[in-house]
Amino acid sequence: MTPNDREQKVKSLIDKLCLTRDLKRSEWTELIRERTPASAEYLFERARAVRIRCYGHDIYIRGLIEFTNYCRNDCYYCGIRRSNSNAVRYRLTKEDILACCEEGYRLGFRTFVLQGGEDGWFTDERLCDIVSEIRAHFPDCAITLSVGERSYDSYKKLYDAGADRYLLRHETYDAEHYGRLHPASLSASHRQKCLRDLKKIGYQVGTGFMVGSPYQTPENLADDMLFLSRLNPQMVGIGPFIPHHETPFAHMPAGTAELTLFMLGLIRLLLPRVLLPATTALGTIAEDGREKGILAGANVVMPNLSPAQVREKYLLYDNKLCTGDEAAESLNSLKTRMEKIGYHIAVSRGDSLNI
Ligand code: 5AD
């Protein structure tokens, strides 16, 4: 095939995705492997049209509260892994967390995302207490949890305490690839079971993966897309892998903004009504990553609401943005940046159309 033929083939696969939302594994693989700048533009135009049809020009914001960086796990890519003895560990108190929510509410946030490592200190009892207190104080807000793998019973208690949504990236669908990113105590199948449990309980579920993680192939990404299609989550978070200097992957190459944007466009076409953030990691590897993410089909941004003194301690990867427009205080400048590309930030819970 000539380069021109290949480009036509990729465009026809994008058309097929748009029309049927159903590609075979080999088609996903070809679409990802053979992408070009021109086919990416073609994709983004379609992804934007679908996004605007579903959500107009609204951008939903979520206030991210990184409330503990203790973690029992030892994921090879992550800066807050257990073995990183140089990480300065912290935990926010219930009062700290509620103060973050107060501030966030004042700024216009109506979704709070409580994200943390898998920290045994936060038993069901402690976490349920925090969730129910936020629920009582902020009845018009959505509460999202992102605290890793827990039992069905634990997820159920947290749901009953008032949590509405749960973010748990599947990281990579393929068990073998999963095994190269994680120690043997973690498995792709258990991660996927957690996601099914969360759905069964009634959470709005978010999953996702890193783009350009070590050893990732186009086939792996194809499997990720097929998994998304089966799970049909309300949210999908993806961002480039970025090495952290105190992890086993310190010297692995970072993922690219280019492939991340392409995957965002594909996800928008596959799941038209999905909530799709332009993530901090995307903003970290490219100066205008957030804007480009929105223009590729994303419709959510998640500024940091954590207290300033702990932000630099929640370092999943090197150079993670936590000031400037990442910070909830600079919502105004984020607003301006989004308005420059024709979008506006909504003050609402920003529920998925898909619940
Ligand atoms: N680069 C990019 N993303 C990372 N995450 C963890 N470590 C890294 C890294 N080095 C992502 C994982 C996790 C989410 C909270 O952050 O996908 O699910």
Side-chain angles (χ1 to χ4, degrees):
M1 276 209 286
T2 67
N4 193 38
D5 290 343
R6 277 205 292 276
E7 188 152 300
Q8 287 314 313
K9 185 70 201 291
V10 168
K11 287 184 178 172
S12 75
L13 287 170
I14 293 169
D15 292 339
K16 180 172 177 195
L17 172 60
C18 228
L19 234 52
T20 67
R21 284 179 232 135
D22 186 24
L23 297 185
K24 295 198 284 279
R25 186 174 189 264
S26 59
E27 293 174 323
W28 280 117
T29 306
E30 183 175 10
L31 177 50
I32 293 163
R33 178 176 287 131
E34 306 293 341
R35 70 190 187 282
T36 58
S39 55
E41 264 323 304
Y42 187 82
L43 168 65
F44 300 153
E45 268 169 42
R46 274 149 193 76
R48 280 198 296 274
V50 167
R51 180 261 203 249
I52 290 162
R53 198 176 71 223
C54 295
Y55 290 102
H57 289 79
D58 284 359
I59 292 179
Y60 298 141
I61 50 172
R62 281 72 170 94
L64 187 60
I65 304 170
E66 296 161 334
F67 69 100
T68 172
N69 70 350
Y70 283 87
C71 191
R72 70 167 70 95
N73 293 329
D74 221 12
C75 308
Y76 302 151
Y77 47 83
C78 184
I80 64 167
R81 64 201 301 267
R82 183 183 60 210
S83 298
N84 182 6
S85 52
N86 288 322
V88 181
R89 306 287 169 172
Y90 73 91
R91 264 180 206 120
L92 299 186
T93 63
K94 179 167 76 173
E95 291 68 35
D96 295 333
I97 296 171
L98 284 163
C100 290
C101 297
E102 286 293 347
E103 169 70 358
Y105 195 89
R106 197 183 60 75
L107 290 166
F109 290 92
R110 297 295 178 269
T111 292
F112 303 119
V113 181
L114 268 56
Q115 183 167 90
E118 291 193 16
D119 178 357
W121 195 87
F122 287 99
T123 57
D124 292 344
E125 203 186 329
R126 288 190 172 122
L127 211 45
C128 283
D129 177 49
I130 293 168
V131 169
S132 47
E133 203 139 326
I134 300 175
R135 175 49 61 239
H137 278 79
F138 303 95
D140 57 333
C141 293
I143 303 173
T144 305
L145 295 176
S146 178
V147 289
E149 298 185 5
R150 297 173 85 98
S151 66
Y152 183 95
D153 190 49
S154 170
Y155 288 148
K156 177 77 169 81
K157 284 183 183 151
L158 291 163
Y159 185 79
D160 292 338
D164 314 272
R165 306 181 184 150
Y166 204 100
L167 307 181
L168 183 70
R169 290 185 177 181
H170 67 281
E171 307 297 357
T172 181
Y173 174 75
D174 180 75
E176 202 182 303
H177 184 225
Y178 196 95
R180 301 184 79 172
L181 304 180
H182 301 92
S185 53
L186 297 171
S187 70
S189 60
H190 190 259
R191 182 59 64 105
Q192 291 156 25
K193 176 195 183 292
C194 288
L195 286 162
R196 288 192 299 273
D197 287 349
L198 290 161
K199 274 212 122 175
K200 208 177 301 163
I201 291 166
Y203 282 96
Q204 297 170 45
V205 168
T207 195
F209 52 89
M210 286 179 291
V211 176
S213 60
Y215 317 109
Q216 186 180 65
T217 61
E219 285 77 7
N220 293 145
L221 288 169
D223 286 336
D224 290 327
M225 298 304 281
L226 293 169
F227 175 68
L228 291 182
S229 169
R230 286 193 300 277
L231 184 71
N232 189 24
Q234 280 80 21
M235 295 162 270
V236 175
I238 66 165
F241 160 73
I242 303 174
H244 183 287
H245 63 286
E246 272 151 344
T247 63
F249 289 165
H251 301 293
M252 292 291 191
T256 62
E258 180 271 321
L259 181 51
T260 305
L261 293 168
F262 196 80
M263 296 310 297
L264 282 173
L266 294 181
I267 294 168
R268 173 60 65 205
L269 293 188
L270 177 69
L271 304 169
R273 307 194 308 176
V274 82
L275 295 164
L276 193 59
T279 53
T280 305
L282 180 58
T284 299
I285 47 160
E287 213 266 305
D288 51 353
R290 288 245 145 119
E291 285 92 337
K292 285 184 169 150
I294 299 297
L295 293 171
N299 66 332
V300 173
V301 282
M302 300 172 69
N304 198 315
L305 260 184
S306 313
Q309 68 277 15
V310 304
R311 277 185 205 167
E312 63 228 34
K313 302 189 179 114
Y314 202 85
L315 274 195
L316 306 182
Y317 45 82
D318 289 339
N319 308 314
K320 179 170 167 258
L321 295 183
C322 63
T323 56
D325 292 358
E326 295 313 300
E329 319 78 80
S330 12
L331 211 53
N332 274 331
S333 99
L334 184 67
K335 271 185 196 147
T336 311
R337 282 173 76 151
M338 294 299 135
E339 274 159 19
K340 273 195 186 134
I341 57 168
Y343 292 80
H344 42 252
I345 286 173
V347 176
S348 75
R349 283 170 49 111
D351 278 300
S352 164
L353 296 170
N354 209 13
I355 51 175

